[in-house]
Amino acid sequence: MSADRVISVRGLSLWYGAFRALDRVDLAVVPGEILSMIGPSGCGKSTLLRCFNRMNDQPYVRTEGDLEVAGYDIMAPKTDVLALRRDVGMVFQRPNPLPLSIRDNVLFGVRLHASRTPKSEQEGLMQDALEQVLLWDQVKDRLHDDAETLSLEARQKLCIARLLPLKPKVLLMDEPCSALDPNGIGAVEELMGSLRGKYTQVVVTHNMQQARRISDRCVFMLMGELVELGATVDVFTRPKDERTARYIEGRYG
Amino acid sequence: METVTRRRPPAHTRYVEFVIEGLIRLSGISSIVFILAIFVFIGKEGIGFLAGHFVEMLTSMDWSPTAEPPVFGLVALLVGTLWCVGLSLLISVPVGLAAAVYLSEFASERTRESLKIIIELLAAIPSVVWGFIGVMILNPLLQDMGAQVGLNGLNGAIVLALMTLPLLVSLGEDALRAVPESYRQAAVAMGATKWEMVRRVLLPAAQRGLLVAVLLGVGRCVGETMAVLMVTGHAVRIPHGLFDPVRTITATIAAELGEAVRGGQHYQSLFALGILLFAVTFVVNLTADFTLRGRRER
């Protein structure tokens, strides 16, 4: 892996049974950037995202091609999937904090992967993570409360915070704002902006305006094919491909 | 011009509606009626005796209702019941919960379906047949293991465990499968192994349902009569070892009610046992309820 790319995809194809969900995708993701992936439903953007931490490991899924993420050769059967998922965190569409306290949610990963971490250090990691997601002031007096007592927006931030103590290299976000109200969307987008540079963020979104607001570069996908990849500004103002232009104009999708 | 009016159902439809609604309402409250009725009938026969012999029942080790003078000591019977139930839970809870976890998380769809059918078959075996198994199979087996009498507390506990397993497994599996898929996804995406996911996320999340499963198991054990009557040895004594015979409250009632003179002291004492049995299950349920509440408010 060269220093200028944290994810490198070469000729990646994926089949769900007989259905081809990804068609020879090539992509390189630069460390620290926010890359958004847009395209109509079923275009393969979520599938591609889930390849990056091997959440597609199912018997009916077949893949072909090369994929390297954070130094892991994803396709190799011997790859340590647990370590990969430590270094590549994922945020889901619906906030899914675990049925534990706020504190235990943030420290869940530490307990899985670094259970020997001294208690005092754990406290620091937790506070740091909650500060990074701009949640600390709101929850510092109720760390033992059930995570499910938080608002939807705070829960989603918590889901991001629980990835951070493990110092991940990549954060994969699968439509992280689609369950939130406009205020929540704004808050989470602001948070993503503040994490720019510290972590590489790959964001799947249905919301084109969001892609435009937050991402440095943008990928447009259609029917399993990566149609266009470029600086977000260019993709939205000077798309090279006719199909991208028509999607962005809202002709379909 | 015709005006549009709201449709009014014909008279007979409204009548039928009224009757059906009444019947449904009646079914709904019938459970309360039945409970109250049971309360009243058992209470009527037993409460007088219980009030008169309360201290004796709770202090005497001896249960000799037909001796002269009769002795009505409940302690040994109560210990016998708790002994069997406790031992059986030691067997059935770990095995049952492990089986539930296996079915809900590890088994393939086909294995799960076939195993569930077999478990339901197990649940359908009448308790007297379990008694047979205890007498015919466990009895000699336990004697081979060194028990003087094969019909003893351990035999009863094993039989009770086998009887409660189906309940524990199917209710436990339901509780685990009711845990939202998103929790599993979250844990797996963070690099948890399947077992870590089960231990750190699934079991705590399903705690409530699992506890309910165990409690229903306890209720089943405490109330079970025929099988324990057949296999526990029917000796009124405090057990000192696994192989000691015991007698439970339920078995006492079942065995003696037929020969007790109706309305006599012995007869009434058995109803008093019934009240205490009721009280035991009530306390178990109440404790569980409070534990759950405590957990939620934490």
Side-chain angles (χ1 to χ4, degrees), chain A residues 9 24-25 30 63 71 80 83 116 118 141 144-145 147 156-157 161 170 181 183 189 191 196 201 211 226 239 246:
Chain A
V9 188
R24 286 160 294 173
V25 171
V30 182
T63 48
D80 181 351
R116 298 251 175 81
D141 298 322
H144 292 281
D145 285 7
Q156 193 62 302
K157 287 177 166 180
V170 182
D181 63 17
N183 286 332
E189 284 180 4
L191 163 60
R196 175 185 271 124
Q201 298 173 67
L226 193 153
R246 285 172 48 216

Side-chain angles (χ1 to χ4, degrees), chain A residues 26-70:
Chain A
D26 292 294
L27 173 67
V29 181
V30 182
E33 74 171 334
I34 302 182
L35 178 80
S36 61
M37 304 207 280
I38 60 171
S41 293
C43 70
K45 54 193 192 301
S46 285
T47 300
L48 180 58
L49 192 78
R50 295 166 71 85
C51 284
F52 295 161
N53 65 346
R54 260 184 63 176
M55 288 292 275
N56 281 330
D57 269 0
Q58 299 290 340
Y60 52 85
V61 172
R62 191 163 62 81
T63 48
E64 218 171 68
D66 286 321
L67 175 53
E68 215 177 283
V69 179

Side-chain angles (χ1 to χ4, degrees), chain A residues 35 56 96 130 135 165:
Chain A
L35 178 80
N56 281 330
N96 56 352
L130 286 170
L135 211 53

Side-chain angles (χ1 to χ4, degrees), chain A residues 114-161:
Chain A
S115 53
R116 298 251 175 81
T117 314
K119 276 266 182 303
S120 52
E121 213 171 298
Q122 289 191 12
E123 295 304 311
L125 284 171
M126 177 190 58
Q127 179 171 349
D128 182 51
L130 286 170
E131 274 170 354
Q132 283 192 63
V133 300
L134 319 172
L135 211 53
W136 175 251
D137 289 326
Q138 187 189 334
V139 301
K140 64 181 174 208
D141 298 322
R142 45 184 290 209
L143 292 170
H144 292 281
D145 285 7
D146 214 317
E148 272 155 33
T149 59
L150 294 170
S151 71
L152 217 50
E153 166 201 330
R155 273 188 250 174
Q156 193 62 302
K157 287 177 166 180
L158 184 68
C159 289
I160 299 174

Side-chain angles (χ1 to χ4, degrees), chain A residues 35 43 65 75-76 102 104 132 135 137 146 171 176 182 189 193 221 224 240 248 250-252:
Chain A
L35 178 80
C43 70
M75 295 306 168
I102 295 170
D104 290 341
Q132 283 192 63
L135 211 53
D137 289 326
D146 214 317
L171 300 178
E189 284 180 4
M221 293 185 69
K240 289 194 282 281
I248 285 167
R251 302 279 185 84
Y252 62 89

Side-chain angles (χ1 to χ4, degrees), chain B residues 31 56 97 105-106 167 244 258 281 298:
Chain B
S31 59
E56 179 191 354
L97 293 190
E105 303 305 314
F106 293 89
L167 187 83
D244 282 355
T281 44
R298 179 175 57 89

Side-chain angles (χ1 to χ4, degrees), chain B residues 40-102:
Chain B
V40 167
F41 286 120
I42 296 183
K44 192 171 64 120
E45 296 289 348
I47 202 79
F49 181 89
L50 194 63
H53 295 74
F54 194 69
V55 177
E56 179 191 354
M57 286 186 97
L58 287 188
T59 50
S60 171
M61 302 283 161
D62 191 20
W63 176 266
S64 311
T66 49
E68 204 50 59
V71 191
F72 300 100
L74 173 78
V75 178
L77 301 179
L78 192 61
V79 171
T81 293
L82 297 180
W83 177 257
C84 282
V85 172
L87 275 182
S88 86
L89 289 177
L90 283 183
I91 304 168
S92 63
V93 169
V95 176
L97 293 190
V101 168
Y102 171 71

